[in-house]
Amino acid sequence: MNHDRKSIALAAVLAVAGLVPAAQAARPAHPAAKPASAAAPTLPGPPFPSYESAAQVDAACKTGLDGANERVRGLEKRKPGLDWLRAWDSLYAWQEDTSGALIFLKNVHPDQAIRTAAEACELKWQDFQSTLGLNARIYQIGRQSKFGDPIDRRAAQVALEGFEDSGVGLPEAKRNRAKEISDKITELSQQFTKNIRDSHVRVLFTEAELKDVPEGVWKDKPRDPDGKIALGVDYPSFYPVMQNAEDPAVRERMYRAKLGEGGADNIKLLQQIEQLRLEYAKLFGYSTYTDFLLRHRMAENLGRATKFLDDVHAAVTEEEKRDVLELRQVKARHLKQPLDGVKLDRWDVPFYTELGKREKFGVDDEAFRPYFPPQESLRFVMRVAEKMFNIRYDRVAGSFWTPDVQAYAVTDVATGKPLASLYVDLYPRDGKYNHAAVWSFRNEASSVNRQAQAALVVNFDRKGLTLHELETLLHEFGHSLHSNLSATRYASDGGTNVMQDFVEAPSQMLEDWVYDKKVLKVFQEVCPACKPVPDEMVDKAKAAKDYDKGIYFGRQWLYAAYDLSLHGTTAPDPLDTWTRMEGQTPLGTVPGTLFPAGFAHIASGYGAGYYGYLWSLVVAMDLRTAFAADKLDPKVGARYRQTVIGQGGQKLPQQLVRDFLGRDLSNQAFYDYLRK
Ligand SMILES: [Zn+2]
């Protein structure tokens, strides 16, 4: 998943010295692991902010907003053209510098008071943005601007679209309503994710119930007075139970707890969000929020997105049914019962998928953990990127939001130029964002020698990663590369500021790097003491990779189709709609579960955009074709860096693909794979 997207693309570059703090030399570095030949690396960009109290967050928030308002007043007096565009990008940069890292902390800071203060600050910035989006004066100066250069023209166009999407062209009454709605949606969506993050769901199990689950998962967990073990529903607890617990009642309890996350309140919040989005689109004369949103995306409109999903569904339906039958057969053999009477429950799927894979391919995902310790896994993905893109990661000491957090300076090897900073938060803890994501909270801008900063947040088991988790790490790392290696003229075009149905492509492209033996050999370069993962295990994992492909893509299709159903011409009841749609799938639905209450994607930035994961995968699989001969080829890597990830949003995605592959985008690799 990617970071929350802003509703208006605030943008620009700074020509006027002093408006944006110069890239400061960061805190002193302690390059313990590096030879002394190079100068001690420092973190490019301003130091990561450190707050001791909510009051400090409030004060920093106010400083940011005051400075932004000052820049808005300056912008109102700019001349059309470059003068306006540069001041616009400098406002964008100022906003990132004063609010990017601060708001990000709502997801990860261990102190609840700081998280709450960061959320309050986010609402203030939302108010600032929705007000700015209606600033007709700044919009008109932009409209009068003429640009000869395509990059300037594109940056200005994106900025103007932001104003138009905010309602600057609407009559006054509608304009005011547009602002009210945007602000309200941010507030509701914040509440939705907060309900998940702070829900502290715990499930109690006896030791006997967990006897098949790896001990490391539960041994050190808190116990209730009766000695029962309290497990959370975070990934490192959830999956091992779902994949290993023999007793179906144990899996069912875990499944129901996970699918209750967020609670009934979130269903109500989601419906309110849908209704407000629909009303918002109607202010602009659109009959659906999806059409309103997709006019600035690759898919263009609801009709094309729906047609795409229909094609995907047609390509996977039969395979999904075959997969379900296969798992029923595994279950029947396992329970020594005749197939006819065996039903596959939702909480059976992870368990029998693992069992089926073990039976058929002799592979066990858990068996990979000893080969992939978390810290070395991180060094491994960095080393892969170093080889592909001729860059270097140096760890820089310092204290960040918790002592576990690590920071890296990214440097271009050929020129020695400092490129970016990357922060990494690897392990789960209470109150932390519970999925895997990257926040690129500061974007690079070559015109003002500004460097990118991003944070990679995952929740891994300290004992090691499965191959599947290594794939997740590469995926997220792909987002951070998109941010770190951006070389755009303007910050507002930087890194992952691309169309949302393209943004997953560079990450998804890297996912299958983990099934490549040559790539995996790189592990020994960063950890000579680690036992190499046996070729035979990788061969088996590769063969087993698509074992449940039909179920997987059937599920992804369902999420995407469900999302579009909520964002059509009506705003239907989210739970009824889900129950009906999931009920029509081969595995059916489980009464009493509340999946939509935990579906944070659609309550926040991915509303009417979940289809983008599948859409991006079409692009990702096409991009992969260039690396078919050698995934580590530095020549192809250099071309990819230069033509795709280095370009951020300053060219349209179709153009990026053309520049890299030398031809138009093709969906052939994707459908060949789905129908394989
Ligand atoms: Zn992603």
Side-chain angles (χ1 to χ4, degrees), residues 98 128 180 183 189 335 390 461 478 484 514 580 589 605 657 663:
T98 57
F128 167 83
E180 268 171 31
D183 292 352
S189 127
L335 300 179
N390 199 23
D461 187 325
N484 291 168
V514 302
R580 178 177 54 77
T589 191
V657 172
R663 59 161 172 77

Side-chain angles (χ1 to χ4, degrees), residues 92 137 153 185 229 353 424 508 519 647 671:
Y92 177 89
R137 210 167 181 159
R153 202 158 51 230
I185 289 176
I229 300 150
T353 301
V424 182
Q508 289 168 328
V519 173
Q647 296 294 329
Y671 283 110

Side-chain angles (χ1 to χ4, degrees), residues 606-625:
Y606 274 75
Y610 197 90
Y611 79 90
Y613 280 97
L614 287 166
W615 188 283
S616 283
L617 192 55
V618 174
V619 182
M621 289 196 170
D622 203 24
L623 294 175
R624 252 179 225 167
T625 57

Side-chain angles (χ1 to χ4, degrees), residues 1-2 475-476 479 504 507 613:
M1 181 178 164
N2 197 245
H475 174 103
E476 296 308 334
H479 285 309
E504 296 297 329
S507 288
Y613 280 97

Side-chain angles (χ1 to χ4, degrees), residues 516 518 624-633 636:
D516 187 282
K518 183 177 173 192
R624 252 179 225 167
T625 57
F627 289 96
D630 180 0
K631 291 184 165 50
L632 299 176
D633 188 334
V636 184

